[in-house]
DNA sequence: TAGATTGTTAATCGATTAACAATC
DNA sequence: TAGATTGTTAATCGATTAACAATC
């Protein structure tokens, strides 16, 4: 491991899960060895960039040989800290919240989903996977007792502000934010990943439109 | 409108929906006028960057005054082409697919959802919102008849490759891709927006971990 | 040894920030 | 007019690409 692991550019960090995905494919396909050239062909990124990226964390490769698939896979998993068990709660058990709770393999990505909350009394007690939905009124007590550090926000925009402030005060350090509200720039000592689905959809609309223009 | 609308950097494009969101808030709050300074405070971006971004598309502001909220909102909507009605189909009516179909307001973002498909015969005919799920076997005929240009992919990874190839041949020009498979670098004449939820979750794991390290 | 491919430095490119004249 | 804030150019910063010596 190199000492330059100190500060890594956000751009590099965002590419790590991608590498991880490609390596998982290769691992499943039984490949033992790969190279920046091969990863480049798979990803569309330049070989140069891939080598540069991987080298931020240390020399995982070998001149003349390339990279060992399994070793590189494990190293990236370690860098991403996927063996963590960050205690996680999810707020908002609507369609999206349920889909996220069921669809994501939290355990294999460094998280442990320990509670689901919703403000709708009618759904309290229902199971999502093997986790019961609790009423939002029990949130504070639950947090004081179980000390989750991560919250997944799948609530409507209007709730997001007070809710995130409350969760912050209850010790939540990381937010996976599906709401339209931007938490990030309020607090400096937390980690936020925004998933702005409608931003993404609007971006697609823009792109499609420009595609048409280029053709004509 | 300025002539520099020709080519806009992807970074700028990604920020447009964000501006649009802030402006919508302001509009709802009844604000008439804003400035790059105010938008900066709201977003955490620099005022300079905001002015730079908006200026790619023309001078929407006025020296000494700032921007008219409604005008700027409309302009950005126009730039994003949100009044389009791109005919859209969604493939994969599992939890995620249903959530996306129900949760997203396609109509207000430049799209018109006209069909939902799933390979599971058992769910054929079920309604998601007001749209019935069709069996995947009818996909080709449906496309030939209705000519959708956009596909939302909510299928497992293993289906994604053949499916996207098939859709491409059927004339689909834009993909909103929720699968783990990367379509983008296969074809050059299409638009793709990838929503890699698990990449995002892994990135959060990395960030949380580094947060801990900085504290100690 | 010859061939391959890394690790790493230097060059290029693009995006952000700062500064300020123009002007409402 | 004086104050404010844009539009725009120039300076800085960061990220990507190219090149190549090191070495397996």
């Amino acid at each position: 491991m190199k000492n330059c692991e100190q500060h890594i550019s956000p751009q590099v960090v965002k590419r790590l899960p991608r590498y991880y995905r490609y390596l998982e494919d290769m691992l499943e396909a039984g490949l033992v060895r790969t190279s920046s050239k091969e990863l480049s062909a798979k990803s569309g990124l330049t070989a140069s960039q891939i080598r540069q990226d991987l080298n931020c964390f240390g020399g995982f490769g070998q001149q003349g040989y390339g990279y060992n698939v399994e070793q590189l896979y494990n190293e990236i998993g370690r860098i991403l800290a996927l063996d963590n068990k960050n205690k996680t709660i999810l707020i908002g058990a609507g369609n999206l919240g349920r889909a996220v709770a069921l669809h994501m393999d939290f355990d294999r990505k460094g998280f442990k989903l320990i509670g689901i909350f919703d403000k709708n009394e009618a759904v309290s007690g229902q199971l999502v996977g093997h986790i019961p939905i609790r009423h939002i009124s029990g949130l504070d007590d639950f947090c004081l007792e179980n000390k989750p550090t991560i919250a997944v926000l799948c609530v409507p925009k209007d709730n997001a502000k007070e809710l995130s402030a409350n969760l912050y005060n209850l010790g939540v350090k990381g937010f996976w934010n599906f709401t339209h509200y931007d938490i990030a720039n309020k607090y400096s000592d937390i980690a936020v990943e925004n998933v702005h689905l409608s931003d993404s959809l609007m971006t697609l609309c823009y792109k499609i439109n420009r595609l048409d223009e280029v053709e004509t």
Side-chain angles (χ1 to χ4, degrees), chain A:
Chain A
M1 195 196 301
K2 286 179 67 181
N3 60 343
C4 70
E5 191 157 347
Q6 326 152 4
H7 197 68
I8 307 294
S9 105
Q11 311 283 345
V12 175
V13 174
K14 271 211 288 195
R15 281 189 293 267
L16 291 178
R18 250 175 106 181
Y19 297 140
Y20 194 71
R21 244 189 304 128
Y22 296 129
L23 289 163
E24 193 162 68
D25 289 351
M26 291 177 170
L27 210 52
E28 277 168 17
L31 297 173
V32 172
R33 160 190 170 179
T34 189
S35 65
S36 59
K37 198 177 161 191
E38 193 177 27
L39 284 164
S40 167
K42 248 195 161 53
S43 64
L45 304 167
T46 64
S48 193
Q49 181 168 58
I50 292 166
R51 288 203 300 280
Q52 195 83 277
D53 284 357
L54 296 177
N55 232 221
C56 292
F57 303 96
F60 303 141
Q62 214 168 42
Q63 279 103 327
Y65 174 85
Y67 303 90
N68 177 283
V69 173
E70 192 177 356
Q71 188 207 339
L72 191 54
Y73 177 76
N74 290 332
E75 287 288 359
I76 294 180
R78 182 189 61 72
I79 292 162
L80 291 169
L82 301 184
D83 55 344
N84 272 191
K85 296 267 169 275
N86 293 297
K87 282 192 275 184
T88 303
I89 55 176
L90 183 148
I91 329 281
N95 293 303
L96 186 64
R98 282 164 198 252
V100 168
L102 291 167
H103 187 262
M104 295 308 302
D105 194 349
F106 284 98
D107 291 21
R108 291 197 53 218
K109 296 185 177 62
F111 300 89
K112 181 141 198 61
L113 189 59
I114 61 170
I116 298 178
F117 295 85
D118 198 280
K119 69 174 176 194
N120 179 5
E121 298 234 10
V123 299
S124 291
Q126 278 186 17
L127 287 179
V128 177
H130 61 284
I131 300 176
I133 301 175
R134 295 164 200 269
H135 188 253
I136 192 74
S137 59
L139 181 64
D140 291 27
D141 285 346
F142 184 92
C143 288
L144 292 172
E145 196 180 323
N146 297 287
K147 308 225 177 299
T149 53
I150 314 285
V152 183
L153 302 189
C154 297
V155 298
K157 187 188 205 170
D158 18 311
N159 294 329
K161 195 173 176 179
E162 307 81 27
L163 180 60
S164 58
N166 187 25
L167 288 165
Y168 177 78
N169 291 328
L170 287 163
V172 169
K173 290 290 174 202
F175 291 89
W176 202 24
N177 178 36
F178 286 79
T179 76
H180 290 185
Y181 171 71
D182 287 307
I183 307 167
N185 50 324
K186 275 216 109 149
Y187 314 103
S188 61
D189 59 339
I190 60 170
V192 178
E193 265 289 303
N194 290 302
V195 181
H196 289 312
L197 292 181
S198 50
D199 285 18
S200 169
L201 191 55
M202 287 191 258
T203 305
L204 181 61
C205 187
Y206 176 91
K207 287 183 186 171
I208 276 291
N209 204 247
R210 296 294 137 146
L211 214 61
D212 294 348
E213 277 176 20
V214 172
E215 274 169 19
T216 21

